[in-house]
Amino acid sequence: MISAPEVTQMDIIARLIEQLTTEDELVRIQAGEFLIQMGSAAVRPLIEALQNPRYSARPLIAAILGQIGDKRAVEPLIHALKDHDKLVRYHAALALGKLKDRRAIKPLIYALFDEMPPIGPDPLTGDLMTVRAAAAQALGELRAREAVLALKVLLTDEIRSVRRGAIQALGQIGTEEAIKVLSEAVWQEQDEALLEQMVRFIARSASTQTAEILQRISQSHPNEKTRQLAQVYLKELEPHPKPQLT
């Protein structure tokens, strides 16, 4: 009697990677979750799939590599930032933010100026997804001080999600230079939600100029809600008297 060939772990991984290309969304999601659970064992086959231009699920592969978090994926994901497929570039940028490896900082700064049009709306937020916004998000997660001046340029981008990503990144970086950039941009932004985001990052920063910046905003900003929010944060900064012992 001839026994059936033994199914190895690599056979299972190959089958799961193949399932990422199916049109059945549930099968794709489950395959991705299983690959993430496989962890480091799945990294090499996933990288090979990412580097195969004929493989249709490469954006999902990039996302899975970011979730696994193995540093072997850093260089292949950096290379993917220059891929012809903007969806691959988008997910590669987000994955590099999750991997938090400083080798990615310079390539991500270049990706801030990716000129391709938006991929489409985010299914959760409705914001337009762009490589620029994804790169900004990743640089924020990396706390990349080197990126402050490049992020400053994105604060005038016509796409809201790009400006939001730049604001988020500058707030996460949180240096004096980053907060100064936000304090200047708060006078040009028109979107109330983004203004609120800016003021919140300024108020929660460790900058020595926080109170002074908030004071100016509370007195002179043209948007009433922004002035009121700055006033709220100013009150929070006021020292509270210590209760006297009886």
Side-chain angles (χ1 to χ4, degrees), residues 100-155:
K100 291 182 171 59
D101 189 296
R102 296 189 66 79
R103 285 176 289 172
I105 290 177
K106 188 173 180 180
L108 284 168
I109 290 174
Y110 284 122
L112 291 175
F113 303 99
D114 188 297
E115 295 181 353
M116 288 298 290
I119 296 158
D122 186 293
L124 295 177
T125 66
D127 283 347
L128 292 175
M129 298 186 296
T130 67
V131 177
R132 300 196 299 284
Q137 180 177 326
L139 287 164
E141 292 174 0
L142 281 160
R143 305 295 193 272
R145 298 183 176 203
E146 308 92 317
V148 169
L149 291 179
L151 289 165
K152 179 180 180 179
V153 175
L154 296 194
L155 293 175

Side-chain angles (χ1 to χ4, degrees), residues 59-176:
L60 185 52
I61 293 288
I64 292 169
L65 286 168
Q67 291 292 334
I68 292 174
D70 191 300
K71 294 299 179 86
R72 286 176 292 169
V74 171
E75 290 295 342
L77 287 167
I78 287 173
H79 183 74
L81 290 175
K82 296 180 180 179
D83 196 90
H84 69 277
D85 185 334
K86 60 186 176 183
L87 195 54
V88 171
R89 300 200 301 277
Y90 175 83
H91 285 289
L94 293 178
L96 287 167
K98 291 180 173 63
L99 289 171
K100 291 182 171 59
D101 189 296
R102 296 189 66 79
R103 285 176 289 172
I105 290 177
K106 188 173 180 180
L108 284 168
I109 290 174
Y110 284 122
L112 291 175
F113 303 99
D114 188 297
E115 295 181 353
M116 288 298 290
I119 296 158
D122 186 293
L124 295 177
T125 66
D127 283 347
L128 292 175
M129 298 186 296
T130 67
V131 177
R132 300 196 299 284
Q137 180 177 326
L139 287 164
E141 292 174 0
L142 281 160
R143 305 295 193 272
R145 298 183 176 203
E146 308 92 317
V148 169
L149 291 179
L151 289 165
K152 179 180 180 179
V153 175
L154 296 194
L155 293 175
T156 57
D157 197 282
E158 62 181 10
I159 297 176
R160 180 183 184 276
S161 61
V162 175
R163 302 199 307 278
R164 180 170 57 80
I167 293 166
Q168 178 78 25
L170 289 164
Q172 288 176 301
I173 294 167
T175 60
E176 291 280 352

